[in-house]
Amino acid sequence: MNDQFPRFIIPGRVEIAAGSGGLPKINITTQVSTAEIYLHGAHVTRFQKNGGPPLLFMSAKSRFASGKPIRGGVPICFPWFGNRDGEPSHGFARITDWELAKTFAAADGAMTLHFRLPEIPGRPAWKNLRTEFVVTVSDKLTMELIATNNSSAAMEIENCLHTYFHVGDINQVSLTGLASAPFDDFAAGAAGARMVENDSVLRITKETNRVYPDAADAVEIRDENLKRTIRVEKSNSNSTVVWNPWTTQKLPDDFDPAEHKNMVCVESGNVKQNKISLTPGKMAVLKVVLQSRNH
């Protein structure tokens, strides 16, 4: 498949191959890490430091098919978050084939890839929203979702990098950075009730679906099983979402409930009350940096 994208190939660093379901995927190799990104959804499906476990969780039942979201990795929820009548859940960006616009090898060995969301037929309301996604792979994973309003009227958008993290055992995981922060609880029966977490750490012991508004701080995921801590740093993100469906949330058949033991989502963006009103000519840049350290 490299011959279809010759100008983007960097031998030994950036290669393009047929991935699952025959979808084009980009394999990235640096001196310290490897990564994998599908053009479908500009979806990062793997990041792994050499000698370490994967940073990202992927469902074993994930579909890799046109028009279907990929389950796991880093779905791009855009230009809305959640459900919308008659529309795809979490927006159309994650089920659209993005264009690869540029690949770049930095002097320090980091690899940067630029993706562009094409104009979507039948969606005139969004045709003047220029959207780009920039991924830099090094000893950490840096992602920037950039939206520019090229229209003459304000546009309301939500953005979220819905990151699934791989953990060794959810029962040995704790999250810090959210203590005393109010959240809206959307787990079974909670119906969005406003609550506050009083414990200094958050442990996932049941179905968890929390939207933390006005939460811009970094979050750390401490994993005693894998003996590592993942740090989620973000900028221009006022919302944090924490999600694990446990075995009780009804899900599509692309996720095995048993897999809840090996994942937790910590999502960064601007959703619900933190949605963005993007005035003409203005740009919204959501940046998320993921890194890990061993205990």
Side-chain angles (χ1 to χ4, degrees), residues 18-35:
S20 298
L23 299 177
K25 73 171 181 178
I26 305 163
N27 295 317
I28 302 107
T29 305
T30 77
Q31 293 179 341
V32 294
S33 63
T34 55

Side-chain angles (χ1 to χ4, degrees), residues 153-234:
M155 305 178 79
E156 277 195 348
I157 63 170
E158 292 173 287
N159 56 14
C160 187
L161 297 180
H162 189 312
T163 309
Y164 290 71
F165 291 99
H166 171 72
V167 298
D169 178 356
I170 193 63
N171 296 302
Q172 297 184 53
V173 168
S174 59
L175 281 68
T176 59
L178 297 167
S180 302
F183 64 91
D184 299 325
D185 192 352
F186 292 94
R194 176 61 57 90
M195 304 182 75
V196 176
E197 177 63 64
N198 293 315
D199 290 342
S200 59
V201 300
L202 170 61
R203 299 185 186 279
I204 309 297
T205 60
K206 59 183 178 179
E207 180 183 329
T208 302
N209 190 353
R210 299 180 173 190
V211 178
Y212 291 81
D214 306 319
D217 293 343
V219 174
E220 290 196 341
I221 305 165
R222 185 173 177 88
D223 185 337
E224 301 299 345
N225 182 278
L226 294 180
K227 295 181 169 49
R228 75 172 175 187
T229 294
I230 300 169
R231 183 171 177 82
V232 183
E233 292 185 353
K234 56 185 191 159

Side-chain angles (χ1 to χ4, degrees), residues 235-268:
S235 56
N236 299 319
S237 165
N238 292 312
S239 308
T240 294
V241 181
V242 178
W243 180 66
N244 182 300
W246 213 250
T247 59
T248 52
Q249 183 176 342
K250 183 174 175 55
L251 290 170
D253 60 6
D254 62 352
F255 186 96
D256 185 338
E259 292 185 307
H260 82 277
K261 297 176 183 177
N262 299 115
M263 59 76 65
V264 64
C265 285
V266 177
E267 310 165 30
S268 304

